[in-house]
Amino acid sequence: MPSVQEMFDVSGKSVIVTGGGSGLGRAYAEVMADNGANVCIFDIDEQRLAETVDAIKAAGGSVWSQKVDVSDRAAMAAGFDAVAEKHGRIDVVFANAGIDAGPGFLTPEGDRNPDGAIDAMDDEHWDRVIAVNLSGVYTSIKNAARHMKKTGGGRIIVTSSVAAQINEAIVGTPYMPAKAGVDHLVRNTAMELGMFGIHVNCISPGPFMTNIAGGRLKNPADRAAFEAQSLIGRIGDPEDVKGLALYLASPASSYVTGAQFVIDGGSMLRIA
């Protein structure tokens, strides 16, 4: 029987984290680097990239970065190729990058919000949310599969959201269909890629204090609305996701694919 250390061993693995400059992506990058992986972070924000890389290096981790917009398909292909050339392979991909969709059609107090109404929505905003939150995941999985097939397999871990499975009136409308599409894409590609030794799984967070919602959660009303849903009385911290991320990236999850792991403090059990 393998030891616990062997089951969760990711040392020497070549890892890509999209949207790794902050929030959950930074947590993924940190836990992988802390456990001996070689991590490359993709992010569009150069300042956050630099801060995260510096912090991980200061802790003794192996990390580097590329400025990449996940909606730029040519840049994504080139970025994946650069990682494969540097490390000889790509073993683990966290398809994590995402953006906030703004306020929904209701306020946290339950009042109608005209700015979030479907007929007032800006088409460019809709297109950008879909391009990053759904098409960016497609591009990540596509490039991961292209490289992982050459080396006999790998792990793809996608960040979705509980918003894919519930109705969220206080969250911007484009967010839900984007994340619902991500959930279906994870299941479908898990079916397709299993024969190549590629596992595709999904982390579905509830409310977390990250940059994607950090601005809103500084608003007492917004934060209270989300905290009230949690069975443990708080919203998530990026540290809370590290154990699950390591599990899905490691041999411990060798019989897991096409799965969706909700990590929400029990919020979905309370949401009406």
Side-chain angles (χ1 to χ4, degrees), residues 41-116:
I41 300 171
F42 291 6
D43 206 297
I44 198 171
D45 189 317
E46 290 183 288
Q47 181 177 344
R48 288 176 180 161
L49 269 180
E51 291 171 354
T52 299
V53 167
D54 288 348
I56 292 175
K57 284 184 175 179
S62 172
V63 64
W64 60 295
S65 66
Q66 300 184 63
K67 181 182 178 181
V68 180
D69 181 342
V70 296
S71 70
D72 184 335
R73 291 173 179 165
M76 283 284 281
F80 273 72
D81 290 347
V83 173
E85 182 176 355
K86 183 177 179 70
H87 297 300
R89 58 191 295 126
I90 297 173
D91 299 301
V92 180
V93 170
F94 287 90
N96 166 75
I99 58 175
D100 188 10
F105 63 88
L106 291 184
T107 68
E109 296 79 18
D111 300 320
R112 287 278 170 171
N113 174 29
D115 293 337

Side-chain angles (χ1 to χ4, degrees), residues 142-189:
K142 177 179 181 177
N143 284 290
R146 178 167 61 88
H147 284 282
M148 291 175 179
K149 283 181 178 181
K150 300 173 186 176
T151 53
R155 300 284 200 274
I156 302 171
I157 300 112
V158 176
T159 302
S160 182
S161 170
V162 295
Q165 304 173 43
I166 60 176
N167 300 317
E168 284 274 21
I170 65 174
V171 176
T173 296
Y175 196 78
M176 272 69 70
K179 292 300 186 179
V182 163
D183 279 14
H184 281 287
L185 184 59
V186 165
R187 291 190 291 267
N188 212 66
T189 52

Side-chain angles (χ1 to χ4, degrees), residues 155-159 186 190 199-203 248 253 255-261:
R155 300 284 200 274
I156 302 171
I157 300 112
V158 176
T159 302
V186 165
H199 298 228
V200 189
N201 290 294
C202 188
I203 294 175
L248 291 174
S253 60
Y255 196 55
V256 178
T257 194
Q260 291 159 298
F261 292 83

